[in-house]
C-alpha cells in the first residue's frame, strides 16, 4: 500500500491503482473547470510514480531544477519568533537557505499600512541591497478589503450585496480600486527608488475581480514609470471571483478567469513573472490535488510568454492545508511542478 | 533550495533568476544565456562544486561571503551586471549616489 495524505494533512493508505484513479480524477476536474487540455498518459504515470515512491523526500533529476521566488520572505522568520532585522534575514536566505531570490516584507503585509512607513522600508531595502547579491523583491498584498468601512474610506460591498444594493456595491469596489492603485504605485515606487530589483504583488485577486483589476493597473503604471522594474503578480486562487462581475482589463472580463487566462492579462500589464495558484481541496487526497494542480499549471505555462512560478505552499499547489506543510507532499509537489508541469519556477 | 530549487548564490540560481526578472526569459532560455556567459554547460549551473569554483574565479560572491578577499553584496552585483550585460537597479543607484554615474 502507498502511504500518502489527504488535503487536510492526515495520512491515508491507498493502492497504486487508487492513487492513479485519484490523479486521473484530479486531472479531469481541472479539464472540466478550466476547459483546458488533459495531461497525457505518460504524464499521469509520472505523477503516479512521484506519489508512489517510498522515500519520504523526493527530488528532481539533475538538470530539472527551477527558480524559487518567495512570498512574505522575511516574515517567515519573524513568525518563528526570531528577533532579527530584515537585512540579516535576507542574508540568511541567501547564504544559509540557498534562495534564488530574496523578498523583503513588512509584518503588516499589505500596501495600505505600508504606505505610512515607506521611509523605514526604503531604509531596509537600501541596507539589504548593499549586503546581498541575489535579486531582491519587495512584497505585499493588494488587499482591497482594507479600503472598506469601518477600516477604510469606501462603503463595504460585502454589506451592500446582501442588502440587494448591487449598483452601490459595484461603485464602492470601483472607488476602492482607485485608492489601491495609488497605494501600490506609491509603495512600489518608493522601494524601487531605494534599490530593490522589483515588486511582488502577492495574493492578487483575493477580493475578486476588482482587486485583480487594481493590481493590473498598478503594474501597468509602474512599468510605464520604471521599464526595468521586475514585477511578479502572484495570485490568491485559481479562479477570479466575480465579486463585482462587470470589471474588465484590456476588454477582457475578469470574473471567472483561470490561470491560463489570467497570465495573458498579466503579460499585457507588463508583469515579468506570473504566480499561478491552484487551491487545495482538503477533502480530497494528495494525488487528486496533485493531478488537478499540475494540469492547471501546465496549461498556464503553455499559454504564457513570461516565466510562470506556481505557488506551492500551505493549501496551494497540492500541498495540504496545514500550518506545517509535510515535506513528503511539498517535495513531491515541487518535483511534479518542475518535471511534469514544466514550470519556470515556484 | 529544497526539492527543486537551483540553489541561489550557492550555484547559479541568482543569475538565472535575474534573467527571468529582467528579460522575462523562460527557464530554458535563461539557463542557456547564463551558461553561455559563464562558459559552462547548462547542467553545471545547479552544481555546487563546479559553480563554487566558477563564482570564485569570476569573483561574483559565494555563500562564504565573509571569508577572504572575494567580492560580496553590492561589489559582486557590479560584476554580475557586466557579466550578464544587465542593468541592476541597486548598482545604478550606488553609482548615482557616489557620483560615478550621470544620467543622459
Amino acid at each position: 500500500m502507498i502511504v500518502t495524505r489527504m488535503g487536510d494533512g492526515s495520512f491515508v493508505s491507498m493502492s497504486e491503482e487508487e492513487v492513479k484513479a485519484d490523479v486521473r480524477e484530479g486531472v479531469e476536474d481541472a479539464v472540466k473547470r478550466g476547459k483546458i487540455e488533459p495531461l497525457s498518459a505518460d504524464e499521469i504515470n509520472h505523477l503516479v510514480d512521484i506519489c508512489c515512491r517510498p522515500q519520504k523526500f523526493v527530488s528532481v533529476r539533475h538538470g530539472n531544477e527551477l527558480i524559487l521566488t518567495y512570498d512574505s520572505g522575511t516574515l517567515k522568520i519573524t513568525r518563528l519568533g526570531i528577533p532579527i532585522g530584515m537585512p540579516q534575514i535576507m542574508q540568511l536566505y541567501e547564504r544559509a537557505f540557498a534562495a534564488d531570490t530574496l523578498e523583503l516584507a513588512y509584518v503588516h503585509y499589505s500596501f495600505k499600512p505600508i504606505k505610512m512607513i515607506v521611509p523605514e522600508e526604503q531604509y531596509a531595502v537600501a541596507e539589504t541591497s548593499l549586503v546581498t547579491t541575489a535579486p531582491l523583491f519587495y512584497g505585499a498584498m493588494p488587499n482591497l478589503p482594507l479600503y472598506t468601512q469601518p477600516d477604510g474610506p469606501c462603503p463595504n460591498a460585502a454589506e451592500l450585496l446582501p442588502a440587494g444594493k448591487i449598483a452601490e456595491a459595484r461603485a464602492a469596489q470601483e472607488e476602492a480600486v482607485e485608492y489601491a492603485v495609488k497605494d501600490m504605485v506609491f509603495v512600489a515606487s518608493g522601494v524601487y527608488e531605494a534599490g530593490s530589483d522589483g515588486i511582488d504583488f502577492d495574493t492578487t485577486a483575493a477580493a475578486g475581480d476588482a482587486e485583480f483589476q487594481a493590481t493590473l493597473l498598478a503594474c501597468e503604471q509602474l512599468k510605464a514609470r520604471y521599464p526595468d522594474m521586475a514585477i511578479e503578480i502572484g495570485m490568491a486562487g485559481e479562479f477570479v471571483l466575480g465579486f463585482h462581475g462587470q470589471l474588465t482589463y484590456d476588454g477582457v472580463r475578469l470574473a471567472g478567469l483561470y490561470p491560463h487566462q489570467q497570465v495573458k492579462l498579466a503579460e499585457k500589464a507588463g508583469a515579468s513573472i506570473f504566480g499561478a495558484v491552484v487551491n487545495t481541496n482538503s477533502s480530497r487526497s494528495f494525488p487528486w490535488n496533485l493531478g488537478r494542480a499540475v494540469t492547471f499549471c501546465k496549461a498556464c505555462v503553455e499559454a504564457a510568454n513570461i516565466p510562470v512560478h506556481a505557488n506551492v505552499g500551505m493549501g496551494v499547489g497540492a500541498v495540504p492545508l496545514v500550518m506545517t506543510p509535510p515535506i513528503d507532499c511539498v517535495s513531491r509537489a515541487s518535483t511534479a511542478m518542475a518535471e511534469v508541469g514544466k514550470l519556470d519556477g515556484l | 533550495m529544497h526539492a527543486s530549487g537551483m540553489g541561489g548564490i550557492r550555484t547559479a540560481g541568482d543569475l538565472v533568476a535575474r534573467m527571468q526578472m529582467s528579460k522575462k526569459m523562460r527557464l530554458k532560455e535563461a539557463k542557456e544565456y547564463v551558461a553561455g556567459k559563464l562558459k559552462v554547460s547548462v547542467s553545471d549551473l545547479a552544481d555546487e562544486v563546479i559553480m563554487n569554483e566558477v563564482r570564485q574565479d569570476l569573483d561574483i560572491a559565494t555563500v562564504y561571503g565573509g571569508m577572504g578577499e572575494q567580492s560580496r553584496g553590492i561589489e559582486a552585483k557590479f560584476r554580475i551586471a557586466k557579466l550578464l550585460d544587465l542593468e541592476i537597479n541597486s548598482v545604478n543607484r550606488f553609482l548615482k549616489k557616489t557620483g560615478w554615474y550621470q544620467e543622459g
Side-chain angles (χ1 to χ4, degrees), chain A residues 233-257:
Chain A
I233 296 182
M235 300 300 288
E238 69 209 30
F239 178 80
V240 178
L241 292 169
F243 205 43
H244 182 290
Q246 294 179 330
L247 293 176
T248 62
Y249 179 78
D250 198 44
V252 178
R253 185 170 174 256
L254 299 174
L257 297 182

Side-chain angles (χ1 to χ4, degrees), chain B residues 12 14-16 18-19 23 25 28-42 44-45 51 54-55 57-60 79-87:
Chain B
D14 62 317
L15 309 179
V16 176
R18 283 200 180 278
M19 301 320 299
K23 304 293 182 188
M25 286 184 184
K28 183 174 182 289
E29 182 189 7
K31 284 182 175 178
E32 288 171 354
Y33 181 89
V34 172
K37 291 291 186 184
L38 267 52
K39 298 183 172 55
V40 299
S41 71
V42 170
D44 290 339
L45 292 177
M51 283 311 305
V54 171
R55 294 191 78 112
D57 290 346
L58 295 170
D59 202 7
I60 54 172
R79 291 179 174 275
I80 290 168
K82 193 175 174 185
L83 180 70
L84 298 182
D85 193 21
L86 279 181
E87 296 288 329

Side-chain angles (χ1 to χ4, degrees), chain A residues 58-60 63 65-67 97-100 129-130 132-133 137 192-197 270-271 301 304 306-307 309 344, chain B residues 1 3-9 13-14 16-18 20-21 24-27 31 46 61 63 73-74 76-77 80 89-90 93:
Chain A
V58 304
S59 182
V60 295
E65 299 88 355
L66 39 65
I67 294 301
F97 304 160
D100 296 314
S129 74
L130 292 176
T132 59
T133 300
F137 279 103
Y192 187 70
E193 296 277 357
S196 79
D197 290 288
V301 166
I306 59 174
H309 289 199
D344 301 281
Chain B
M1 191 168 185
S4 59
M6 281 200 69
I9 68 167
D14 62 317
V16 176
R18 283 200 180 278
Q20 289 196 348
M21 292 168 65
K24 304 180 184 180
M25 286 184 184
R26 305 302 294 268
L27 183 60
K31 284 182 175 178
V63 288
I74 191 76
K77 284 191 280 191
I80 290 168
N89 189 35
S90 55
R93 186 178 187 278

Side-chain angles (χ1 to χ4, degrees), chain A residues 80-327:
Chain A
L80 302 178
I82 303 172
I84 51 177
M86 290 197 284
Q88 289 71 45
I89 293 174
M90 294 287 86
Q91 287 175 301
L92 281 174
Y93 266 89
E94 176 178 276
R95 295 176 204 170
F97 304 160
D100 296 314
T101 62
L102 311 174
E103 189 196 287
L104 205 144
Y106 179 58
V107 66
H108 292 299
Y109 191 51
S110 300
F111 284 96
K112 184 168 175 263
I114 293 168
K115 74 179 172 186
M116 264 76 82
I117 56 156
V118 165
E120 285 80 2
E121 295 304 273
Q122 287 179 306
Y123 179 83
V125 167
E127 289 283 306
T128 304
S129 74
L130 292 176
V131 297
T132 59
T133 300
L136 176 65
F137 279 103
Y138 186 91
M141 300 188 295
N143 206 345
L144 207 66
L146 287 184
Y147 297 91
T148 60
Q149 296 166 3
D151 300 317
C154 307
N156 194 329
E159 292 176 353
L160 293 168
L161 281 172
K165 296 179 177 176
I166 308 298
E168 291 88 341
R170 283 179 171 150
Q173 290 178 76
E174 289 162 24
E175 188 185 351
V177 167
E178 290 181 26
Y179 283 111
V181 171
K182 279 182 193 168
D183 287 355
M184 284 189 272
V185 171
F186 176 72
V187 171
S189 299
V191 294
Y192 187 70
E193 296 277 357
S196 79
D197 290 288
I199 193 88
D200 174 26
F201 294 112
D202 184 27
T203 68
T204 296
D209 48 353
E211 189 174 305
F212 193 24
Q213 186 192 52
T215 309
L216 293 168
L217 292 171
C219 179
E220 191 181 276
Q221 289 184 25
L222 287 165
K223 287 302 280 190
R225 188 181 293 182
Y226 306 107
D228 292 332
M229 178 190 275
I231 299 179
E232 178 164 5
I233 296 182
M235 300 300 288
E238 69 209 30
F239 178 80
V240 178
L241 292 169
F243 205 43
H244 182 290
Q246 294 179 330
L247 293 176
T248 62
Y249 179 78
D250 198 44
V252 178
R253 185 170 174 256
L254 299 174
L257 297 182
Y258 280 101
H260 65 290
Q261 299 159 320
Q262 297 160 10
V263 69
K264 303 310 291 179
L265 298 185
E267 280 175 16
K268 281 183 183 166
S272 319
I273 297 173
F274 178 71
V277 168
V278 181
N279 305 96
T280 295
N281 183 336
S282 58
S283 301
R284 301 304 300 259
S285 71
F286 173 73
W288 185 90
N289 279 297
L290 189 67
R292 188 171 181 277
V294 172
T295 305
F296 268 127
C297 288
K298 183 167 180 281
C300 182
V301 166
E302 287 172 354
N305 293 307
I306 59 174
V308 178
H309 289 199
N311 282 242
V312 176
M314 301 168 181
V316 291
V319 175
L321 184 59
V322 290
M323 286 298 286
T324 49
I327 196 65

